[in-house]
Amino acid sequence: MAIRVASNGWMFSATKLVNPFFAYLDPEVAHRLAVTAAARGWVPKEKRPDPSILGLEVWGRRFSNPIGLAAGFDKNAEAVEGLLGLGFGFVEVGSVTPVPQEGNPKPRIFRLPKEGAIINRCGFNSEGIVAVAKRLGAQHGKRKLDETSSTSSSSTEEVKHGGKAGPGILGVNLGKNKTSEDAAADYVQGVHTLSQYADYLVINISSPNTPGLRQLQGRKQLKDLVKKVQAARDEMQWGEEGPPPLLVKIAPDLSRQDLEDIAAVALALRLDGLIITNTTVSRPDPVSNNPVAEEPGGLSGKPLFNLSTNILKEMYVLTKVNCCSACGHNYILRCDGTYSYSSFEQKFSGEDAYMKIRAGATLVQLYTAFAYGGPALIPQIKAELANCIERDGFKSIYEAVGADCR
């Protein structure tokens, strides 16, 4: 069944006229303009309901669709409402560090449009948890006020999608400061300050641009870290919804033994999910032939597709084997460190997102794809994804998750 494009689809299509302009700007300047536009409401607002087949419940939260925006785009929670309004099922802000830091020297973002990729070495540039907490607190208060007004003026009961920041789900990605000698303390501080505003939390230990960070993916280091963060979260007072789920974001540059160790920790500590994967320090073909590939930093985009998909499948199998008895709720997310969209030579589609779901992803995040494709990409992916699910005879997202691993 083809998904019909409704009346406000022209607004999203119109953004395709603007996208080429951003390609002429410095990547970081273009990024800054995009965040500002979303923060000020200068972007389309999706008024069409998502196809019902895309709806799902994860961690007791209702997602209207499984397509989200990864951390790194809205680092400081400036544009949550505008980004959710584009039609994302969820938006993840951050990475947020306890103390403000500038990150690495500029230039630190490099486009590879022919390969459909980006290299960045930003290094957790962040305004810090205090600034982010103020923004999220204001958004949370506005949300509660709107809910109160809506409840008092409506007599009909309906299932509402969304979380603490608006019509979609909000994730908060936590990082550590570059000069910090106690990584666990940094993440714990982030939990204490920001978890009250989050529908889920992410421990980012896989950025290649912070010295020593990836060492936290070792079995003992990860186990110790997760225990401390879980304890910090659980010692806080929570309402009926309970504490926000805790996820760990891992790198694609891991050995089989590394993956087995991470899976073992995830199951033993009943971790709520994994984000697979962050950017890679490798330079797979055809990127290796591009002079820009010599720039240090993490590579995201199309060239990372196969590597990321293979790790996703491996982790799905490793955590799914004992999932029912060990935790019962290990949700695997996949981050678009592996995809990109170029209006000239590469195209990200709902079929591509569907491949990730069949490989084991419950939810799919975009970043590089969104940077190249802009707002018009979101309704396109959702419509095509719904068609893929129906085409293969699945009745829901759940049925398709991990289909290629069975």
Side-chain angles (χ1 to χ4, degrees), residues 184 219-229 265 269:
R219 186 167 187 155
K220 182 182 184 303
Q221 296 91 328
L222 179 60
K223 187 175 182 179
D224 291 344
L225 175 62
V226 172
K227 279 185 173 180
K228 291 177 181 178
V229 175
V265 172
L269 298 183

Side-chain angles (χ1 to χ4, degrees), residues 38-113:
R40 298 187 179 184
W42 299 342
V43 292
K45 185 175 178 61
E46 183 59 87
K47 299 179 180 179
R48 299 163 290 184
D50 288 327
S52 59
I53 200 169
L54 296 184
L56 71 165
E57 184 173 313
V58 186
W59 311 302
R61 280 107 172 126
R62 287 289 299 168
F63 292 70
S64 63
N65 73 76
I67 306 300
L69 180 61
F73 187 86
D74 188 7
K75 291 176 176 288
N76 299 302
E78 299 172 76
V80 174
E81 185 175 355
L83 293 170
L84 285 172
L86 288 171
F88 283 113
F90 61 107
V91 167
E92 188 175 310
V93 299
S95 294
V96 189
T97 58
V99 179
Q101 62 179 29
E102 293 292 328
N104 293 322
K106 301 176 183 178
R108 54 193 179 185
I109 303 176
F110 307 89
R111 297 190 188 100
L112 296 85

Side-chain angles (χ1 to χ4, degrees), residues 293-308:
E294 297 181 5
E295 293 287 349
L299 172 74
S300 63
K302 190 74 171 178
L304 190 51
F305 175 75
N306 290 332
L307 176 59
S308 161

Side-chain angles (χ1 to χ4, degrees), residues 37 62 70 90 93 161 169 175 234 241 249 254 273 278 401:
R62 287 289 299 168
F90 61 107
V93 299
H161 299 272
I169 300 296
D234 295 343
E241 290 185 354
K249 187 169 186 175
L254 296 168
N278 212 316
V401 174

Side-chain angles (χ1 to χ4, degrees), residues 1-29:
M1 182 185 78
I3 306 299
R4 197 174 45 159
V5 177
S7 57
N8 73 328
W10 69 269
M11 299 185 213
F12 285 86
S13 297
T15 63
K16 295 178 181 179
L17 301 176
V18 181
N19 284 350
F21 166 74
F22 283 88
Y24 291 103
L25 300 175
D26 171 82
E28 193 151 359
V29 172

